[in-house]
Amino acid sequence: MDSFKNTADSSTEEKIKAAARTVFHKKGFAASRTRDIAEEAGINLALLNYYFRSKEKLFVLVMIETLTEFFGSVSVIINNPETTFEEKIEQFAAGYIDLIFREPDIPLFIMSEIRNNPEQLLQKVDIRNTVFNSVFMQQFTEAMQQGKIKDQNFLHFMMNFVGLIVFPFIGKPLLKAISGLTEEQFNMLIEERKKLIPVWIKAMMN
Amino acid sequence: MDSFKNTADSSTEEKIKAAARTVFHKKGFAASRTRDIAEEAGINLALLNYYFRSKEKLFVLVMIETLTEFFGSVSVIINNPETTFEEKIEQFAAGYIDLIFREPDIPLFIMSEIRNNPEQLLQKVDIRNTVFNSVFMQQFTEAMQQGKIKDQNFLHFMMNFVGLIVFPFIGKPLLKAISGLTEEQFNMLIEERKKLIPVWIKAMMN
DNA sequence: AATATTTTTAATCGTTTGATTAATTTTTTA
DNA sequence: TAAAAAATTAATCAAACGATTAAAAATATT
């Protein structure tokens, strides 16, 4: 039977996974030490291997969970049959910015780690269908056929849209260094973008 | 006197630096082994320390050169007093895309490495003045005062502009994996953006 | 309560990695 | 050409690191 301290987030296994998440997200796989993770989790180093066998297996687990969270959360928005194309754009921008606000290390983490073995990591999470069979894409195509937006490549559109959302977080250290922005000022700037990005994107499409 | 084989790019020192550039750019500091660099350069491992003292000193050197190249090359464009604001936008987009085409690993390299110690690395290259005291920014301000473009934040504008250019390269592994694009198709898509980005940016500004 | 199972710890192993050393080869200087 | 200096190599060191082991502690089972 489960004892009180052995459930949910308080279990040792979850503590290690959460710590691994934090450390991996911040430093990446290569720069993360299993000892860092153990210390962050407040457990003995051997326990990490007891529960997860190896650093790499633990990493893959974290990566899958991260990708699932990161792409799963949009899936709900872009596949909602109740909302219009324009509404999706607004919800997508605001929802994604909120998500990244909570976990600002994720974008750079995903981009830099996937570069090493892209297919091996990505095949475990089906992102392709999430995006290309989405209601969002159907509505994009319809809008184009009806002449509501210019004739354009969906890939360009997605690159632009996601780029406008994600890039400031990836470039944050650089931006702060060259602009002298404080953390609070940066956050305010990003907050503004929730409303601005949909406006910009619509301007680009027409 | 200089012997033939001890000049310019053929010198051992330059061979090591070039190899370090390649390896660091592709894998980042933490995942790069000094032995990898030595092998890439075709030299004995000890020579690396003989010329550069340590892995970290070699890295800082590569980083400074990379930043200088990456931000210096724009400096010429955005400070040219002979070109208009619109011309600068076109040249900036095309020039930067060409630069990154030649060295596609640089953006992700800079972003991920700077995250660790931003100020320490960035203080060695004065990017701030390059951007904020540029003719480009003056022309942006003038255009706004003259009502040629909407009232807007220069930081948003720069984030958007640079993001549109750089983000596809950062997200390349992800994009290729989820879209199934070949290398050639990806390159063609990017090539299109040289002309499209100025159009988009202008649409966003008005 | 006694036994079995699971969880946790301290100690340590073997490998990798950055760096050094001492010897050798090559180049420069005198 | 001989001596000095610089460049290069093989061997090795010490620390860091991922992983394992054997014992101890905690929990579950009977």
Side-chain angles (χ1 to χ4, degrees):
Chain A
M1 188 197 78
D2 284 341
S3 74
F4 174 71
K5 69 184 229 186
N6 248 24
T7 49
D9 301 345
S10 66
S11 78
T12 303
E13 199 172 338
E14 286 302 320
K15 256 166 45 187
I16 297 173
K17 215 193 283 179
R21 233 184 113 90
T22 306
V23 177
F24 280 142
H25 281 184
K26 199 177 304 184
K27 301 188 176 186
F29 178 80
S32 297
R33 319 280 157 222
T34 52
R35 283 166 173 82
D36 298 342
I37 297 173
E39 192 184 4
E40 172 85 21
I43 52 106
N44 187 286
L45 169 60
L47 274 183
L48 188 149
N49 292 83
Y50 176 76
Y51 281 105
F52 299 96
R53 306 287 302 165
S54 75
K55 179 189 176 184
E56 195 171 333
K57 285 196 168 62
L58 176 56
F59 175 79
V60 171
L61 213 70
V62 167
M63 179 55 98
I64 290 176
E65 288 197 7
T66 303
L67 287 174
T68 303
E69 173 194 350
F70 205 63
F71 292 98
S73 66
V74 254
S75 179
V76 182
I77 294 173
I78 67 177
N79 283 308
N80 184 348
E82 308 282 326
T83 54
T84 66
F85 182 60
E86 294 207 351
E87 284 168 344
K88 281 189 182 60
I89 286 179
E90 286 156 20
Q91 290 179 10
F92 188 104
Y96 236 57
I97 286 178
D98 280 336
L99 171 63
I100 305 179
F101 250 134
R102 290 194 295 276
E103 307 237 32
D105 292 327
I106 287 187
L108 198 43
F109 168 76
I110 292 180
M111 301 301 175
S112 33
E113 295 301 329
I114 276 184
R115 147 179 69 169
N116 302 325
N117 35 6
E119 56 292 326
Q120 197 176 349
L121 286 174
L122 284 170
Q123 71 182 13
K124 297 176 180 176
V125 179
D126 186 17
I127 305 165
R128 194 167 185 169
N129 276 332
T130 304
V131 176
F132 285 93
N133 293 338
S134 64
V135 178
F136 187 55
M137 176 167 171
Q138 288 167 25
Q139 289 173 324
F140 173 87
T141 309
E142 282 170 23
M144 226 162 58
Q145 283 166 349
Q146 295 168 5
K148 291 180 179 172
I149 56 175
K150 267 193 303 197
D151 227 51
Q152 58 197 295
N153 189 326
F154 183 66
L155 285 178
H156 278 311
F157 168 73
M158 281 305 290
M159 277 192 279
N160 297 346
F161 192 22
V162 176
L164 286 174
I165 295 170
V166 171
F167 182 73
F169 291 94
I170 291 177
K172 179 178 173 185
L174 200 60
L175 179 72
K176 285 181 72 175
I178 69 176
S179 72
L181 246 50
T182 65
E183 182 72 18
E184 200 182 358
Q185 288 170 327
F186 174 81
N187 289 346
M188 279 179 54
L189 214 62
I190 298 293
E191 193 65 35
E192 289 174 8
R193 296 178 72 85
K194 284 191 193 172
K195 292 212 183 301
L196 287 172
I197 288 173
V199 177
W200 290 328
I201 276 291
K202 287 168 195 167
M204 290 167 74
M205 288 192 301
N206 294 321
Chain B
M1 190 195 80
D2 283 341
S3 75
F4 175 71
K5 68 184 233 186
N6 247 23
T7 49
D9 300 346
S10 67
S11 78
T12 303
E13 198 172 338
E14 285 302 319
K15 258 164 48 187
I16 297 173
K17 214 194 283 180
R21 235 184 110 91
T22 305
V23 176
F24 281 142
H25 281 184
K26 198 178 304 182
K27 302 188 176 185
F29 177 79
S32 298
R33 317 281 158 226
T34 51
R35 281 165 175 82
D36 298 341
I37 298 173
E39 193 184 4
E40 172 84 21
I43 52 104
N44 186 284
L45 170 61
L47 274 184
L48 188 149
N49 292 85
Y50 176 75
Y51 281 105
F52 298 97
R53 306 286 302 164
S54 75
K55 179 189 177 186
E56 195 172 333
K57 284 198 168 61
L58 176 55
F59 175 79
V60 171
L61 214 69
V62 167
M63 179 55 100
I64 290 176
E65 288 197 8
T66 303
L67 287 174
T68 303
E69 173 194 351
F70 204 64
F71 292 97
S73 66
V74 254
S75 179
V76 181
I77 294 173
I78 67 176
N79 283 308
N80 184 347
E82 308 283 327
T83 55
T84 66
F85 182 59
E86 292 206 353
E87 284 168 344
K88 282 190 182 59
I89 287 179
E90 286 156 21
Q91 292 179 10
F92 188 104
Y96 235 56
I97 286 178
D98 280 335
L99 171 64
I100 306 179
F101 250 133
R102 290 194 295 275
E103 306 237 33
D105 292 327
I106 287 188
L108 197 44
F109 167 76
I110 292 180
M111 301 300 175
S112 33
E113 295 301 329
I114 276 185
R115 148 178 67 168
N116 303 323
N117 37 4
E119 55 294 324
Q120 196 176 348
L121 285 174
L122 284 169
Q123 72 183 14
K124 296 175 182 177
V125 180
D126 186 17
I127 305 166
R128 193 166 186 169
N129 275 331
T130 304
V131 175
F132 285 93
N133 293 338
S134 63
V135 178
F136 186 56
M137 175 167 172
Q138 288 167 25
Q139 288 172 324
F140 173 88
T141 310
E142 281 170 24
M144 227 163 58
Q145 283 166 349
Q146 294 167 5
K148 291 180 179 172
I149 56 176
K150 268 193 303 199
D151 227 51
Q152 59 198 293
N153 190 327
F154 182 67
L155 285 178
H156 279 311
F157 168 73
M158 281 307 289
M159 277 193 279
N160 298 345
F161 193 22
V162 176
L164 287 173
I165 295 170
V166 170
F167 182 73
F169 291 94
I170 292 177
K172 179 179 173 184
L174 200 61
L175 178 72
K176 285 182 72 175
I178 70 177
S179 71
L181 244 51
T182 64
E183 182 71 18
E184 200 182 359
Q185 288 171 326
F186 174 81
N187 289 347
M188 278 178 55
L189 213 62
I190 298 292
E191 192 65 35
E192 289 174 8
R193 295 178 74 85
K194 283 190 195 172
K195 291 212 185 301
L196 287 172
I197 288 174
V199 177
W200 290 327
I201 276 290
K202 285 169 197 168
M204 289 167 74
M205 287 191 302
N206 295 321

